[in-house]
């Protein structure tokens, strides 16, 4: 983590090159898009994505939008049936680059961090039109995860000094691209609909519903207030990844037939074979980076339960515990 002020970089080729190197190093850079400024990190790097959640100070893991320089860079990461593929490519042709985010099924081969999906089997993808965003994505050669560059609960930033006000000391650099032209976030639409075949508008934004319906016909809309609950509603969208195996929280050790998910030094002392440590040094960022991948590995062992040692309720620990509690309480008993 940086001490003092983040670097304010000019939007020229030197500034973009410096920003690209910081990002390739797994650190965070805020950058302008046509909607709002994004808090960017390498979307293929678990630690960088965990650092984004830490900088935002969110008490839970919301899935993040992943940004690409063009649509051809998107396709290898997503997976859809022929019919959906046709609609999605029409949408991409009409609205990318631009303020449109599409939620699509993740390809099993995708190199994107599981943390950008926050446990869902989908990923939100977008190709921004801002030239600085485009040049930065090209210079890094990486997909960039980027939520709006503000602390959780505050207003999305549309200029570099807003970012500094909100995230001073939490990020390494900001690329100053002046004011964001659109000033409201991208439209988020899901094509990953479990039951109804129709795409669902999850968040109104820079592209209007009418423009979308003119292109692809009727879509469903969720009330934005209900977005968080719809993310967990299995009838509407694929729900969060829920392990088959029961989860037992605040365990001090594993019982026979259990496996242990530990945290901190010597957490695995005497634990059954196959047990895993989220972070041996007790580093919450490392624990967040490991969480989803380790849960999947332990789940695949098919034990009676996964016993999880306690994790501090501070910093990223809030989001980790929130996720573990959801996993421990079946949403659909
Ligand atoms: O304009 C924008 O979209 C800006 C710029 C930086 O690109 N980004 C932005 O990100 O607003 P954020 O994290 O503040 O909002 C992302 C929205 C959230 O409402 C989140 O729940 C939704 O997208 N989202 C992301 N991934 C999702 C997924 N896999 N399924 C459903 N919703 C998803
Ligand atoms: Mg936001």
């Amino acid at each position: 983590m940086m001490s003092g002020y983040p670097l304010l970089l000019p939007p020229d080729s030197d500034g973009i090159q410096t920003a690209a190197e910081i990002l390739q190093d797994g650190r965070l850079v805020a950058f302008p898009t046509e909607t709002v400024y994004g808090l960017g990190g390498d979307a293929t790097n678990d630690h960088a994505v965990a650092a984004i959640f830490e900088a935002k100070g969110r008490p839970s893991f919301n899935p993040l939008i992943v940004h690409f320089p063009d649509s051809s860079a998107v396709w290898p990461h997503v997976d859809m049936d022929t019919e959906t593929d046709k609609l999605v490519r029409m949408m991409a042709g009409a609205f990318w680059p631009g303020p449109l985010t599409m939620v699509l099924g993740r390809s099993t081969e995708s190199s994107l961090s599981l943390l950008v999906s926050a446990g869902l089997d989908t990923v939100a993808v977008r190709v921004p039109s801002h030239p600085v965003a485009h040049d930065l994505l090209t210079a890094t050669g990486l997909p960039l995860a980027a939520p709006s560059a503000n602390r959780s609960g505050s207003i999305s930033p549309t200029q570099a000094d807003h970012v500094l006000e909100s995230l001073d000391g939490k990020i390494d650099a900001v690329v100053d691209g002046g004011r964001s032209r659109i000033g409201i976030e991208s439209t988020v639409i899901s094509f990953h609909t479990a039951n109804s075949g129709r795409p669902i508008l999850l968040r109104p934004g820079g592209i209007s519903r009418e423009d979308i319906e003119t292109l692809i016909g009727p879509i469903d809309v969720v009330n934005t207030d209900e977005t968080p609950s719809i993310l967990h509603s299995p009838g509407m969208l694929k729900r969060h990844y829920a392990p088959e195996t029961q989860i037992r929280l605040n365990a001090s050790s594993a019982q026979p037939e259990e496996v242990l998910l530990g945290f901190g030094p010597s957490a695995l002392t005497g634990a059954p074979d196959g047990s895993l440590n989220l972070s041996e040094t007790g580093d919450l960022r490392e624990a967040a980076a490991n969480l989803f991948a380790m849960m999947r590995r332990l789940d695949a062992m098919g034990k009676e339960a996964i016993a999880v040692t306690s994790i501090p309720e501070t910093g990223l620990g809030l989001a980790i515990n929130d996720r573990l509690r959801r996993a421990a309480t079946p949403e659909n008993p």
Side-chain angles (χ1 to χ4, degrees), residues 243 245-263 267-268 270-278 291 294-295 298-299 301-311 324 327-328:
T245 316
Q246 204 185 306
I247 304 277
R248 186 166 68 82
L249 298 177
N250 300 317
S252 47
S253 61
Q255 288 165 6
E257 291 312 305
E258 289 184 337
V259 71
L260 191 75
L261 182 60
F263 175 82
L268 294 196
D273 282 354
S275 294
L276 295 172
N277 198 335
L278 287 166
L291 180 66
M294 287 189 173
M295 274 168 63
L298 295 179
D299 193 20
M301 291 174 67
K303 297 285 189 144
E304 207 154 272
I306 301 168
V308 187
T309 64
S310 74
I311 290 160
L324 286 168

Coordinates of all heavy atoms in Angstrom, one line a residue, residues 243 245-263 267-268 270-278 291 294-295 298-299 301-311 324 327-328:
P243 N -21.5 -24.0 -1.8 CA -20.9 -25.3 -1.7 C -21.9 -26.4 -1.4 O -22.9 -26.1 -0.7 CB -19.9 -25.2 -0.6 CG -20.1 -23.9 0.1 CD -21.0 -23.1 -0.8
T245 N -21.1 -29.0 0.3 CA -20.7 -29.4 1.6 C -21.1 -28.4 2.6 O -21.1 -27.2 2.4 CB -19.1 -29.5 1.7 OG1 -18.7 -30.2 0.5 CG2 -18.7 -30.3 2.9
Q246 N -21.6 -28.9 3.8 CA -22.0 -28.0 4.9 C -20.8 -27.2 5.4 O -19.7 -27.7 5.3 CB -22.5 -28.9 6.0 CG -23.4 -28.2 7.0 CD -23.8 -29.2 8.1 OE1 -24.2 -30.3 7.9 NE2 -23.5 -28.7 9.3
I247 N -21.0 -25.9 5.8 CA -20.0 -25.1 6.3 C -20.2 -24.9 7.8 O -21.3 -24.6 8.2 CB -20.0 -23.7 5.7 CG1 -19.9 -23.8 4.1 CG2 -18.9 -22.8 6.2 CD1 -18.6 -24.0 3.5
R248 N -19.1 -25.1 8.6 CA -19.3 -24.9 10.1 C -18.3 -23.7 10.4 O -17.1 -23.9 10.3 CB -18.9 -26.2 10.8 CG -19.1 -26.0 12.3 CD -19.1 -27.4 13.0 NE -17.8 -28.0 13.0 CZ -16.8 -27.8 13.9 NH1 -17.0 -26.9 14.8 NH2 -15.6 -28.4 13.8
L249 N -18.9 -22.6 10.9 CA -18.1 -21.4 11.2 C -17.5 -21.4 12.6 O -17.9 -22.2 13.5 CB -19.0 -20.2 11.0 CG -19.5 -20.0 9.6 CD1 -20.4 -18.8 9.6 CD2 -18.4 -19.9 8.6
N250 N -16.5 -20.6 12.8 CA -15.8 -20.4 14.1 C -15.4 -21.7 14.7 O -15.5 -21.9 15.9 CB -16.8 -19.6 15.0 CG -17.1 -18.3 14.5 OD1 -16.2 -17.6 13.9 ND2 -18.4 -17.9 14.5
A251 N -14.9 -22.6 13.9 CA -14.4 -23.9 14.4 C -13.0 -23.6 15.0 O -12.2 -22.8 14.6 CB -14.3 -24.9 13.3
S252 N -12.7 -24.4 16.1 CA -11.3 -24.3 16.6 C -10.5 -25.4 16.0 O -9.3 -25.3 15.8 CB -11.3 -24.3 18.1 OG -12.1 -25.4 18.6
S253 N -11.1 -26.5 15.6 CA -10.4 -27.6 14.9 C -11.4 -28.4 14.1 O -12.6 -28.2 14.3 CB -9.7 -28.5 15.8 OG -10.6 -29.1 16.7
A254 N -11.0 -29.2 13.2 CA -11.9 -30.1 12.4 C -12.2 -31.3 13.2 O -11.3 -31.9 13.8 CB -11.2 -30.4 11.1
Q255 N -13.4 -31.8 13.1 CA -13.8 -33.1 13.6 C -13.6 -34.1 12.6 O -13.3 -33.8 11.4 CB -15.3 -33.0 14.1 CG -15.5 -32.1 15.3 CD -16.9 -31.8 15.6 OE1 -17.8 -32.2 14.9 NE2 -17.1 -30.9 16.5
P256 N -13.6 -35.4 13.0 CA -13.4 -36.5 12.0 C -14.5 -36.3 10.9 O -15.6 -35.8 11.2 CB -13.7 -37.8 12.8 CG -13.6 -37.4 14.3 CD -13.8 -35.9 14.4
E257 N -14.1 -36.6 9.7 CA -15.0 -36.5 8.6 C -15.2 -35.0 8.1 O -15.9 -34.7 7.2 CB -16.4 -37.1 8.8 CG -16.5 -38.6 8.9 CD -15.7 -39.2 7.7 OE1 -16.1 -38.9 6.6 OE2 -14.8 -40.0 8.0
E258 N -14.5 -34.1 8.8 CA -14.5 -32.7 8.3 C -13.1 -32.4 7.7 O -12.1 -33.1 7.9 CB -14.7 -31.7 9.4 CG -16.1 -31.7 10.0 CD -16.3 -30.7 11.1 OE1 -15.4 -30.2 11.7 OE2 -17.5 -30.3 11.3
V259 N -13.1 -31.3 7.0 CA -11.8 -30.7 6.5 C -11.8 -29.3 7.0 O -12.8 -28.7 7.2 CB -11.7 -30.9 5.0 CG1 -12.6 -30.0 4.2 CG2 -10.3 -30.8 4.5
L260 N -10.5 -28.8 7.2 CA -10.5 -27.4 7.8 C -10.1 -26.4 6.8 O -9.2 -26.6 6.0 CB -9.4 -27.5 8.9 CG -9.4 -26.2 9.8 CD1 -10.6 -26.3 10.8 CD2 -8.1 -26.2 10.6
L261 N -10.7 -25.2 6.9 CA -10.3 -24.0 6.2 C -9.8 -23.1 7.3 O -10.6 -22.5 8.0 CB -11.5 -23.4 5.4 CG -11.1 -22.2 4.6 CD1 -10.1 -22.4 3.5 CD2 -12.4 -21.6 3.9
G262 N -8.5 -22.9 7.3 CA -7.9 -22.1 8.4 C -7.5 -20.7 8.0 O -7.6 -20.3 6.9
F263 N -7.2 -19.9 9.0 CA -6.7 -18.6 8.8 C -5.6 -18.3 9.9 O -5.9 -18.4 11.1 CB -7.8 -17.6 8.9 CG -7.4 -16.1 8.8 CD1 -7.1 -15.5 7.6 CD2 -7.2 -15.4 10.0 CE1 -6.7 -14.2 7.5 CE2 -6.8 -14.0 9.9 CZ -6.5 -13.5 8.6
A267 N -2.7 -22.4 11.9 CA -4.1 -22.8 11.9 C -4.4 -24.2 11.5 O -5.4 -24.8 11.8 CB -4.9 -21.8 11.0
L268 N -3.4 -24.8 10.7 CA -3.6 -26.1 10.2 C -2.9 -27.2 11.1 O -2.9 -28.4 10.7 CB -3.1 -26.2 8.8 CG -3.8 -25.4 7.7 CD1 -3.4 -25.9 6.3 CD2 -5.3 -25.5 7.9
G270 N -2.3 -30.1 13.1 CA -3.1 -31.3 13.4 C -4.4 -31.4 12.6 O -5.2 -32.3 12.8
A271 N -4.5 -30.6 11.5 CA -5.8 -30.6 10.7 C -5.7 -31.8 9.7 O -4.6 -32.2 9.4 CB -5.9 -29.3 9.9
P272 N -6.9 -32.3 9.3 CA -6.9 -33.4 8.4 C -6.2 -33.1 7.0 O -6.1 -31.9 6.7 CB -8.4 -33.6 8.1 CG -9.1 -32.9 9.1 CD -8.2 -31.8 9.7
D273 N -5.7 -34.1 6.4 CA -5.1 -34.0 5.0 C -6.0 -33.2 4.1 O -7.2 -33.4 4.1 CB -4.8 -35.3 4.4 CG -3.6 -36.0 5.0 OD1 -2.9 -35.3 5.8 OD2 -3.4 -37.2 4.7
G274 N -5.5 -32.4 3.3 CA -6.3 -31.6 2.3 C -6.8 -30.3 2.9 O -7.3 -29.5 2.1
S275 N -6.6 -30.1 4.2 CA -7.0 -28.8 4.7 C -6.2 -27.6 4.1 O -5.1 -27.8 3.7 CB -6.9 -28.8 6.3 OG -7.7 -29.7 6.8
L276 N -6.8 -26.4 4.1 CA -6.1 -25.3 3.4 C -6.1 -24.1 4.4 O -7.0 -23.9 5.2 CB -6.9 -25.0 2.1 CG -6.9 -26.0 1.0 CD1 -7.8 -25.6 -0.1 CD2 -5.4 -26.2 0.5
N277 N -5.1 -23.3 4.2 CA -5.0 -22.0 5.0 C -5.2 -20.8 4.1 O -4.5 -20.6 3.1 CB -3.6 -22.0 5.6 CG -3.6 -21.0 6.8 OD1 -4.4 -20.1 6.8 ND2 -2.7 -21.2 7.7
L278 N -6.2 -20.0 4.4 CA -6.5 -18.8 3.6 C -5.3 -17.9 3.6 O -5.1 -17.2 2.6 CB -7.8 -18.1 4.2 CG -9.1 -18.8 3.9 CD1 -10.2 -18.2 4.8 CD2 -9.5 -18.6 2.4
L291 N -10.1 -17.1 -1.2 CA -11.4 -17.6 -0.6 C -12.2 -18.5 -1.6 O -12.5 -19.6 -1.3 CB -12.3 -16.4 -0.2 CG -13.6 -16.8 0.4 CD1 -13.4 -17.6 1.7 CD2 -14.5 -15.5 0.7
M294 N -10.3 -21.7 -2.8 CA -10.2 -22.7 -1.8 C -11.5 -23.4 -1.4 O -11.6 -24.6 -1.1 CB -9.5 -22.1 -0.5 CG -8.0 -21.8 -0.8 SD -7.2 -21.3 0.7 CE -5.5 -21.3 0.1
M295 N -12.6 -22.6 -1.3 CA -13.9 -23.2 -1.0 C -14.2 -24.2 -2.1 O -14.7 -25.3 -1.7 CB -15.0 -22.1 -1.0 CG -15.1 -21.4 0.4 SD -16.1 -19.9 0.4 CE -17.7 -20.6 0.0
L298 N -12.1 -27.4 -1.4 CA -12.5 -28.2 -0.3 C -13.9 -28.9 -0.5 O -14.1 -30.0 -0.1 CB -12.6 -27.3 1.0 CG -11.2 -26.8 1.4 CD1 -11.4 -25.9 2.6 CD2 -10.2 -27.9 1.7
D299 N -14.7 -28.1 -1.2 CA -16.1 -28.7 -1.5 C -15.9 -29.9 -2.4 O -16.6 -30.9 -2.2 CB -16.9 -27.6 -2.3 CG -18.3 -27.9 -2.4 OD1 -18.8 -28.7 -1.6 OD2 -19.0 -27.4 -3.3
M301 N -13.8 -32.2 -2.2 CA -13.4 -33.3 -1.5 C -14.5 -34.2 -1.0 O -14.3 -35.3 -0.6 CB -12.5 -32.9 -0.3 CG -11.2 -32.3 -0.8 SD -10.2 -31.6 0.6 CE -9.8 -33.1 1.5
G302 N -15.7 -33.6 -0.9 CA -16.9 -34.3 -0.6 C -17.0 -34.8 0.9 O -17.5 -35.8 1.2
K303 N -16.4 -34.0 1.8 CA -16.4 -34.3 3.2 C -17.8 -34.0 3.8 O -18.6 -33.3 3.2 CB -15.3 -33.6 4.0 CG -13.9 -33.9 3.5 CD -13.5 -35.3 4.1 CE -12.0 -35.5 3.8 NZ -11.4 -36.2 4.9
E304 N -18.0 -34.4 5.1 CA -19.2 -34.1 5.7 C -19.4 -32.6 5.9 O -20.5 -32.0 5.8 CB -19.3 -34.8 7.1 CG -20.7 -35.1 7.5 CD -20.6 -36.3 8.5 OE1 -20.7 -37.5 8.0 OE2 -20.5 -36.0 9.7
A305 N -18.4 -31.9 6.3 CA -18.4 -30.4 6.5 C -17.1 -29.8 6.3 O -16.0 -30.5 6.4 CB -19.0 -30.1 7.9
I306 N -17.1 -28.5 6.0 CA -15.9 -27.7 6.0 C -15.9 -26.9 7.2 O -16.8 -26.1 7.4 CB -15.8 -26.8 4.7 CG1 -15.9 -27.6 3.4 CG2 -14.6 -25.9 4.8 CD1 -16.1 -26.8 2.2
A307 N -15.0 -27.1 8.1 CA -14.9 -26.3 9.4 C -14.0 -25.1 9.1 O -12.9 -25.3 8.5 CB -14.3 -27.2 10.5
V308 N -14.5 -23.9 9.4 CA -13.7 -22.7 9.1 C -13.3 -22.0 10.5 O -14.2 -21.8 11.3 CB -14.6 -21.7 8.3 CG1 -13.7 -20.5 7.8 CG2 -15.2 -22.4 7.1
T309 N -12.1 -21.7 10.6 CA -11.6 -21.1 11.8 C -12.1 -19.6 11.8 O -12.5 -19.1 10.7 CB -10.1 -21.1 12.1 OG1 -9.5 -20.4 11.0 CG2 -9.6 -22.6 12.1
S310 N -12.1 -18.9 12.9 CA -12.7 -17.6 12.9 C -11.7 -16.6 12.2 O -10.5 -16.7 12.2 CB -13.0 -17.1 14.3 OG -11.8 -16.8 15.0
I311 N -12.3 -15.6 11.6 CA -11.6 -14.6 10.8 C -12.0 -13.2 11.4 O -13.2 -13.0 11.7 CB -12.0 -14.7 9.3 CG1 -11.4 -16.0 8.8 CG2 -11.6 -13.5 8.5 CD1 -12.0 -16.6 7.6
L324 N -18.8 -16.2 3.9 CA -18.8 -17.4 4.6 C -20.2 -17.7 5.3 O -20.7 -18.8 5.3 CB -17.7 -17.5 5.6 CG -16.3 -17.7 5.0 CD1 -15.2 -17.4 6.1 CD2 -16.1 -19.1 4.4
A327 N -22.6 -18.8 2.8 CA -22.3 -20.2 2.4 C -22.8 -21.2 3.5 O -23.2 -22.3 3.2 CB -20.9 -20.4 2.1
A328 N -22.8 -20.7 4.7 CA -23.1 -21.6 5.9 C -24.7 -21.7 6.0 O -25.2 -22.7 6.6 CB -22.5 -21.1 7.1

